[in-house]
Each structure stands twice: as C-alpha cells, then as structure tokens.
C-alpha cells in the first residue's frame, strides 16, 4: 500500500517545486522599458497594412484561378 505513495509524493514534490520556480521568475520580471514599448508599438502598427495586402493578394490569386 505504501509503495505507490513514494512515486506519487515524488511527482507532487517535483510539480510543486517547478510551480514555485516559475512563479518566482514571473514576479522578478522587470517592467517593460521605453525602448521595448516603442519597438512593440512599431511592430503592431504594420499589422493592419499587412493583413490588407494579404487579402488583396488572395483575392487576385483566386480571380486568376477562375
């Protein structure tokens, strides 16, 4: 009866330790700096334009296939 408790306890200990490490790392993360925010805003600015170009290309490609 006790033989299955040892692997179970080991698994629980490993999961608990891993969770603790991940939570500590998450709390230690620094707030995003000004440069990081600038890069992220510049990267997301181009998304609507990229979507528009992809849609136009798909429409042109589908018309050429017909």
């Amino acid at each position: 009866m006790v033989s299955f408790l040892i692997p179970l306890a080991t698994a629980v200990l490993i999961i608990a330790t891993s969770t603790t490490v991940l939570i500590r790392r998450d709390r230690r993360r620094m707030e995003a700096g000004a440069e990081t925010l600038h890069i992220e805003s510049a990267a997301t600015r181009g998304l609507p334009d990229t979507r528009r170009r992809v849609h136009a290309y798909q429409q042109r490609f589908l018309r050429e296939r017909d």
Side-chain angles (χ1 to χ4, degrees), residues 13-58:
L13 183 63
I14 290 171
I15 292 171
T17 305
S18 301
T19 304
T20 304
V21 168
L22 289 175
I23 289 172
R24 285 183 183 171
R25 282 185 188 170
D26 191 46
R27 287 183 183 167
R28 268 191 250 149
R29 284 191 179 159
M30 293 176 50
E31 210 171 293
E35 185 179 356
T36 304
L37 295 174
H38 177 72
I39 291 170
E40 287 178 356
S41 68
T44 56
R45 244 183 265 139
L47 283 177
D49 185 47
T50 304
R51 287 189 191 120
R52 193 176 313 115
R53 279 188 269 152
V54 167
H55 181 71
Y57 177 78
Q58 287 174 342

Side-chain angles (χ1 to χ4, degrees), residues 54-65:
V54 167
H55 181 71
Y57 177 78
Q58 287 174 342
Q59 293 301 318
R60 187 179 74 202
F61 179 72
L62 291 175
R63 270 190 251 131
E64 289 175 0
R65 286 182 62 195

